Amino acid sequence: MRLLSYRVAFFVCAISVTMQLLLLLIPAAVPFGRLFNLFGSPVPAPLAIITPWFLRVALVVVFAALLYRRLWLAVSAKALLPPASLRVWPTRLLVVAVLFLLLGSIGLVSSILLRAGSGVPAGMLAFPAFLLLSPVLFYVELRSLLPANATSP
């Protein structure tokens, strides 16, 4: 479960960060762009309102550099493995975030397919994922920069 949750979190955040960087360079209207970009910043959405714009952009750039570094290491090693800094509580938080993301996605798709309302209540099941996924992954990737003996649980 640790490996699966890390890979899902990594790919969701990497795609979101790439999309967010492209939208910074080329402003365009992308459908579902704002919802998907919630995973592209290590600042959770409720705190993004009070965070200065330049700080959010700087954190997105740092987050992108960390994710692209991990992608480069994965290509070099020919496997995307979680870093050693993914210890007990970050693993649990990532698993919870991925499970809520999956639950919200299933609820949203089933609500749309069954035409049972707008889909907003079903999509709100993914709210913990919006709060946890990118900050925890940002923390894990930052901790992976430290020497191996300095990372403690």
Side-chain angles (χ1 to χ4, degrees):
M1 195 68 176
R2 175 180 178 241
L3 180 64
L4 178 67
S5 63
Y6 178 75
R7 286 182 178 172
V8 168
F10 178 82
F11 285 119
V12 166
C13 289
I15 291 169
S16 183
V17 161
T18 303
M19 192 168 145
Q20 199 165 30
L21 288 177
L22 287 175
L23 287 178
L24 280 174
L25 297 174
I26 308 165
V30 177
F32 302 111
R34 296 189 91 193
L35 179 65
F36 195 66
N37 278 342
L38 291 175
F39 298 113
S41 174
V43 180
L47 294 178
I49 297 169
I50 59 173
T51 307
W53 180 81
F54 61 89
L55 182 61
R56 280 186 286 149
V57 170
L59 285 172
V60 167
V61 170
V62 169
F63 193 36
L66 290 170
L67 291 177
Y68 294 151
R69 173 188 164 269
R70 177 66 52 196
L71 188 62
W72 177 258
L73 292 173
V75 167
S76 301
K78 297 180 181 160
L80 180 60
L81 299 174
S85 62
L86 189 62
R87 299 283 182 171
V88 176
W89 71 267
T91 301
R92 291 180 183 159
L93 288 176
L94 269 184
V95 168
V96 166
V98 168
L99 286 177
F100 273 105
L101 182 66
L102 180 66
L103 185 65
S105 301
I106 289 171
L108 184 63
V109 168
S110 64
S111 174
I112 290 171
L113 290 177
L114 297 174
R115 297 181 187 192
S118 66
V120 173
M124 287 302 291
L125 291 171
F127 188 69
F130 296 137
L131 296 177
L132 291 175
L133 200 66
S134 55
V136 171
L137 192 63
F138 183 71
Y139 171 78
V140 167
E141 292 299 329
L142 271 180
R143 292 286 296 198
S144 72
L145 295 176
L146 295 176
N149 57 2
T151 58
S152 62

